[in-house]
């Protein structure tokens, strides 16, 4: 039985290391393919990386994301089935969330519901974990339902916070988990 590969769009704003792992993983997948890489930053290195893999890219402004439906139209015209947010800094507008029910994933570098919400991104998250004295941190991969860091959890993995950990060393440990598991979880969604 031949099955159509799920067409995945990645949204990334920054460094793009998770996007890179997703691109690597899906180059060898029979269930899904990265069909589009989107960013709100036309200069994001992830766009050049995608182009190097012959993946279509799409850059848009914050204004375009929130006013009008250019971004949603692009997803539709590219035949996108799944959206993987990978360090995407802006809130996904309701129209896109509603057009892609149960099909938009995000990865958060902590064990939600702890250390989520507005302003909780990047090193801030790991600083908060250290400041709280948590014994564990980790990753949460969840569906997007329109609010920051809410939505059905699909997967969590944890890592011990060691006595000598700083926000930076913890960030490195958590990022390793992200790279290891995000592609696998998105692959799992492609098989549904
Ligand atoms: C990751 O820590 C992810 O959990 C968060 O933003 C960061 C993105 O890192 N949402 P990168 O751009 O994938 O390297």
């Amino acid at each position: 039985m031949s099955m159509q590969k799920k067409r995945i769009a990645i949204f990334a704003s920054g460094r793009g290391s998770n996007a890179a792992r997703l691109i690597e993983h899906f180059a060898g997948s029979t269930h899904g393919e990265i069909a589009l890489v989107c960013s709100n930053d036309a200069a994001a290195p992830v766009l050049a990386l995608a182009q190097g893999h012959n993946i279509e890219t799409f850059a848009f402004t914050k204004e375009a994301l929130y006013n009008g439906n250019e971004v949603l139209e692009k997803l539709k015209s590219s035949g996108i089935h799944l959206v993987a947010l990978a360090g995407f800094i802006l809130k996904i507008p309701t129209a896109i969330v509603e057009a892609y029910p149960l099909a938009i994933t995000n990865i958060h570098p902590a064990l939600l519901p702890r250390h989520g919400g507005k302003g909780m991104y990047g090193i801030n998250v790991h600083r908060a974990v250290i400041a709280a004295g948590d014994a564990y941190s980790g990753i949460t991969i969840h569906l997007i339902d329109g609010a920051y860091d809410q939505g059905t959890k699909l997967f969590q993995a944890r890592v011990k916070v060691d006595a000598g950990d700083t926000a930076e060393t913890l960030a490195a440990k958590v990022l390793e988990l992200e790279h290891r598991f995000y592609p696998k979880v998105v692959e799992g969604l492609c098989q549904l």
Side-chain angles (χ1 to χ4, degrees), residues 35-55:
L36 184 66
V37 175
C38 301
S39 185
N40 59 307
D41 177 2
V46 69
L47 296 180
L49 177 84
Q51 284 154 10
H53 286 81
N54 292 316
I55 297 170

Side-chain angles (χ1 to χ4, degrees), residues 14-79:
R15 180 176 52 182
S17 70
N18 279 287
R21 293 308 171 102
L22 288 163
I23 288 170
E24 250 172 56
H25 174 90
F26 282 98
S29 168
T30 54
H31 301 113
E33 63 184 307
I34 306 300
L36 184 66
V37 175
C38 301
S39 185
N40 59 307
D41 177 2
V46 69
L47 296 180
L49 177 84
Q51 284 154 10
H53 286 81
N54 292 316
I55 297 170
E56 193 186 350
T57 60
F58 183 61
F60 50 81
T61 61
K62 185 175 176 178
E63 291 65 39
L65 180 63
Y66 295 126
N67 307 317
N69 50 10
E70 192 193 337
V71 178
L72 178 55
E73 287 309 318
K74 182 68 190 175
L75 295 177
K76 285 187 181 162
S77 67
S78 299

Side-chain angles (χ1 to χ4, degrees), residues 11-22 46 85-89 106-110 120-123 125-126 138-140 149 171 174-175 178-179 182:
F11 278 51
S13 302
R15 180 176 52 182
S17 70
N18 279 287
R21 293 308 171 102
L22 288 163
V46 69
L85 308 182
F88 186 66
I89 202 78
N106 184 40
I107 184 160
H108 186 76
M120 274 297 165
Y121 60 86
I123 202 72
V125 176
H126 307 293
I139 63 169
T140 304
D149 297 331
V174 169
L175 191 64
E178 297 190 39
H179 292 166
Y182 202 19

Side-chain angles (χ1 to χ4, degrees), residues 78-150:
S78 299
I80 297 302
H81 303 107
L82 292 173
V83 176
L85 308 182
F88 186 66
I89 202 78
L90 302 174
K91 190 168 183 276
I92 297 294
T94 314
I96 296 181
V97 176
E98 286 175 351
Y100 284 91
L102 309 181
I104 308 178
T105 57
N106 184 40
I107 184 160
H108 186 76
L111 295 171
L112 293 175
R114 289 185 70 67
H115 311 298
K118 203 165 184 194
M120 274 297 165
Y121 60 86
I123 202 72
N124 295 348
V125 176
H126 307 293
R127 284 195 186 121
V129 172
I130 301 274
D134 291 359
Y136 289 92
S137 189
I139 63 169
T140 304
I141 298 168
H142 62 95
L143 293 171
I144 287 292
D145 70 356
Y148 281 105
D149 297 331
Q150 289 176 26

